[in-house]
Amino acid sequence: MTPDKYIKNYIDGALLPAASGEYFDNFNPAVGKVYSHIPDSDERDVQQALEAAERAFPEWSKTEPSTRFRILTRIADIIEQNLDDFARAESIDSGKPFAMARSVDIPRAHQNLRFFATAILHFSSESHPMQNEAINYTLRQPIGVVGCISPWNLPLYLFTWKIAPALAAGNCVIGKPSEMTPMTAYMLSKACSEAGLPAGVLNILHGHGAKVGQAIVEHPKIKAISFTGGTNTGKKIISTAGPMFKKLSLELGGKNPNIIFADCDFDEMMMTTLRSSFSNNGQICLCGSRIYVERPIYEKFKEELVKRTQFIKVGDPFSAVTDLGALVSEQHMKKVMSYISLAEVEGGTVLCGGTPVEMKGEYSEGYFLRPAVIEGLPHTCRTNQEEIFGPVVTIAPFDTEEEVIEYANSTQFGLAATVWTKDISKANRVAEKIESGIVWVNCWMVRDLRTPFGGVKSSGVGREGGLEALRFFTEQKNVCIKYS
Ligand code: NAD
């Protein structure tokens, strides 16, 4: 399965150019050059996809769960069988190391499909008997045509995380992957045809968020929107879809705190903190970007973190020794670097990194940045309040539990947090008080797909994962039967 130069929309089972006939450039961020072209879709493509999805819905929504299970599993099998091709495409599109795409992104994409293919076989609803009078039962019916919009940081991983539960629950879907990383979603459309997914059940549109994304959100017949992306985009989506009373699931930005107590397992914590800081160049919504360390171990932690960060190998995404590849785009690299300058203006000291990596040969124009560790900033400054979404962490000491909880909760975000301590009572106390949707104690990114996933405050509305996702993608109806 090889990627094409001209990506196509997937509408009604066919691969089509955008109605506009226009394409725009898709960059390989490691090389800094255009390598393929993306259809510039608009509301006409959304309308065409909507009509196809509406035609497909009556039959798809009535298929046996076992049929949906079989088709989704087949799609998963095709992705797994073409693991190297998908991983190569993901790496070229996003700049991340091939090894990461091969071991994390693509395996998780087929796991998502299998997870929800199976989950729908076990999905049930409640009944509420009223003694000697009536019985209520709850129907959970597919919503209809739903929109699924995903970001660029974990492209196929997050796209399938949405479309799998939507399809498993019997909906027809109009999906839009990020215009920064559309290639694996395009390859997925071919896998869907090969797996026998009926035409119109899944439609994948490519293009700019403000144009085709916005048209999906605005379309009155698309009844629910599941969105993952930035908080500002989330606000725009709410302001459009809220007054239309659409069902909304929003997974937004984060500024996650890592809280490290002096009694933690230092070696385990160091190993994991390096990963939670810089995996995927810090371009994971769950990465910890504000690290608070209890004062007795602060200096030791700082020395060790800086030493290990300097050892991180940034470079050729296809080299087996590379830890971090390129940032996703030139614009994103500029944004990340502007925050490093801001940190200095705000009085911070850059202890290491934060400068572009001078690459030779084919990668000389790529967007490579050395991971940065910054200290000396108050928790209230912009560097510690705004999402950077790059390989940048700040570190600061703390003295008491109350103080660190105040720091942790001081941003508008509330997605994830980590707590490091061997004292289980302290771990529970702190976990309970942190304002976030996810708390990891003595670990990071340990994921059970059955658990609720999402954020509080400006990090989102609603939850994905397990039954939460199937509940989101179904409409409940209570049926009450009186008897005597
Ligand atoms: P983004 O908001 O710019 O784009 C996300 C998607 O929305 C893209 O497909 C884009 O084309 C589309 N879009 C943009 N404007 C739109 C509009 N007006 N209407 C409809 N769709 C529109 O985000 P991004 O830069 O792609 O991703 C990075 C952000 O995503 C970060 O803030 C990160 O924290 C967040 N993120 C959150 C989670 C989570 O689970 N909470 C997971 C991954 C990424």
Side-chain angles (χ1 to χ4, degrees), residues 72-93:
L72 292 177
T73 308
R74 248 182 255 144
I75 300 170
D77 289 343
I78 293 169
I79 296 173
E80 192 172 19
Q81 283 152 15
N82 292 278
L83 171 66
D84 283 349
D85 289 347
F86 272 93
R88 195 173 303 112
E90 203 72 295
S91 169
I92 292 170
D93 229 14

Side-chain angles (χ1 to χ4, degrees), residues 257-269:
N258 289 9
I259 299 175
I260 299 168
F261 287 99
D263 66 351
C264 68
D265 177 333
F266 191 84
D267 293 339
E268 178 75 27
M269 177 278 295

